[in-house]
Amino acid sequence: MWIYEKKLQYPVRVSTCNPKLAKYLIEQYGGADGELAAALRYLNQRYSIPDKVIGLLTDIGTEEFAHLEMIATMVYKLTKDATPEQLKEAGLDAHYVNHDNALFYNNAAGVPWTAAYIQAKGDPIADLYEDIAAEEKARATYQWIINMSDDPDLNDGLRFLREREIIHAQRFREAVEILKEERDRKKFF
Amino acid sequence: MFTTRKQYHPYVSPFDPCHPICTKTYVTPPNLYIPFQPPNLPQFPLHEALKKGTLWKVFYDPYYGPYETAYKGDIQ
């Protein structure tokens, strides 16, 4: 069960109407390493992982939905008053034809989200290593979007989200250490 | 201490069609260097931590794009 708080995890500000940035940002909405994929991946893997790390997957999976909501707000703000002409210039003409101004779970190239993006191998180490890789890929994606963006307010939010990816990767690495059960053990060689 | 930005210099051919980028950079974030977080690490004040995205100074590694300059006090 979840409790919903009707506010964003971090304030989303957008300084210019720039549908092109929305086209890039949608990668983190419905892309392979996006927030939707992350949330569904962790909240699904947690059923078949040792008890000690279930809570971590629940917490991080839940936070990914808060990130998804931030990305959605960014995309919405960047496109809500854009004319069909502006969307066309931004390369979102095909999106407009299909969805009008609605958001959709697809990546920056327009490929719809698929469950094939996420894995649940059932092997705790394999799954956690996938999660670490997913966080690093999401971090890199944020870097490339920041590189393409000239909107300082938007970048502020993206920087926050990127920092969270670093923390999540750290926690997943720590989960691996916990499962190794070698921590705090006196080592004699 | 560790650095979170690295550089390398790829080979440049005299026949490369695009203007060469002689120095390439990549990021090695703090989580690579700390296998398990030890107790009692320095923290940011709470309000600052909420803005920065982490409570822990050692894990704070902000990234800035080419169109913006880093804020004062941030490590680059």
Side-chain angles (χ1 to χ4, degrees):
Chain A
M1 187 178 136
W2 273 268
I3 293 172
Y4 182 75
E5 228 178 295
K6 200 172 176 179
K7 59 184 173 192
L8 294 175
Q9 190 189 7
Y10 187 90
V12 165
R13 290 220 175 79
V14 174
S15 38
T16 49
C17 170
N18 190 346
K20 202 156 208 170
L21 279 178
K23 186 178 158 72
Y24 306 146
L25 273 172
I26 209 79
E27 182 68 29
Q28 290 293 45
Y29 194 63
D33 310 310
E35 304 291 356
L36 178 74
L40 298 181
R41 179 188 296 116
Y42 307 148
L43 292 177
N44 179 61
Q45 287 177 354
R46 70 193 166 129
Y47 292 96
S48 48
I49 207 142
D51 300 5
K52 281 177 184 169
V53 298
I54 291 176
L56 178 75
L57 286 173
T58 308
D59 288 354
I60 296 182
T62 301
E63 187 181 344
E64 301 295 359
F65 276 127
H67 295 175
L68 186 71
E69 195 181 36
M70 283 177 63
I71 298 292
T73 308
M74 290 173 180
V75 172
Y76 172 72
K77 284 192 179 196
L78 285 164
T79 53
K80 78 181 172 91
D81 297 317
T83 62
E85 197 56 43
Q86 283 174 310
L87 291 174
K88 200 171 170 182
E89 274 171 33
L92 284 170
D93 40 351
H95 181 95
Y96 176 79
V97 166
N98 200 354
H99 306 288
D100 190 358
N101 281 12
L103 280 74
F104 191 68
Y105 292 114
N106 51 213
N107 72 7
V111 180
W113 191 87
T114 162
Y117 287 158
I118 63 176
Q119 279 295 328
K121 192 51 70 177
D123 178 274
I125 299 301
D127 282 350
L128 285 170
Y129 270 52
E130 191 209 348
D131 301 345
I132 295 166
E135 295 292 339
E136 300 293 5
K137 286 188 279 180
R139 169 186 59 76
T141 308
Y142 278 120
Q143 288 166 204
W144 312 153
I145 297 174
I146 289 172
N147 284 352
M148 298 287 270
S149 158
D150 58 357
D151 187 326
D153 287 330
L154 191 80
N155 285 0
D156 189 49
L158 295 177
R159 222 174 340 267
F160 173 88
L161 290 168
R162 178 185 170 277
E163 178 63 37
R164 296 309 300 157
E165 307 293 346
I166 293 176
I167 300 298
H168 290 172
Q170 171 70 19
R171 300 302 172 227
F172 284 133
R173 284 168 186 274
E174 289 170 354
V176 172
E177 295 302 314
I178 289 171
L179 295 190
K180 277 158 72 179
E181 294 186 353
E182 287 293 336
R183 237 168 18 96
D184 304 328
R185 185 176 294 182
K186 285 206 174 92
K187 282 178 193 151
F188 301 99
F189 292 105
Chain B
M1 224 17 204
F2 49 82
T3 60
T4 58
R5 300 293 186 276
K6 304 288 187 293
Q7 296 185 343
Y8 66 101
H9 309 284
Y11 170 72
V12 175
S13 159
F15 306 111
D16 283 350
C18 299
H19 187 75
I21 300 172
C22 296
T23 304
K24 300 260 189 179
T25 60
Y26 59 99
V27 173
T28 51
N31 56 309
L32 297 181
Y33 301 96
I34 305 159
F36 202 95
Q37 183 175 337
N40 304 318
L41 288 183
Q43 302 180 351
F44 289 116
L46 289 185
H47 260 86
E48 216 177 307
L50 275 175
K51 271 212 80 184
K52 285 182 152 58
T54 180
L55 184 58
W56 310 101
K57 291 186 176 177
V58 71
F59 290 122
Y60 182 56
D61 179 40
Y63 183 90
Y64 293 90
Y67 299 108
E68 51 185 357
T69 45
Y71 295 111
K72 272 182 195 166
D74 279 350
I75 335 133
Q76 179 69 312

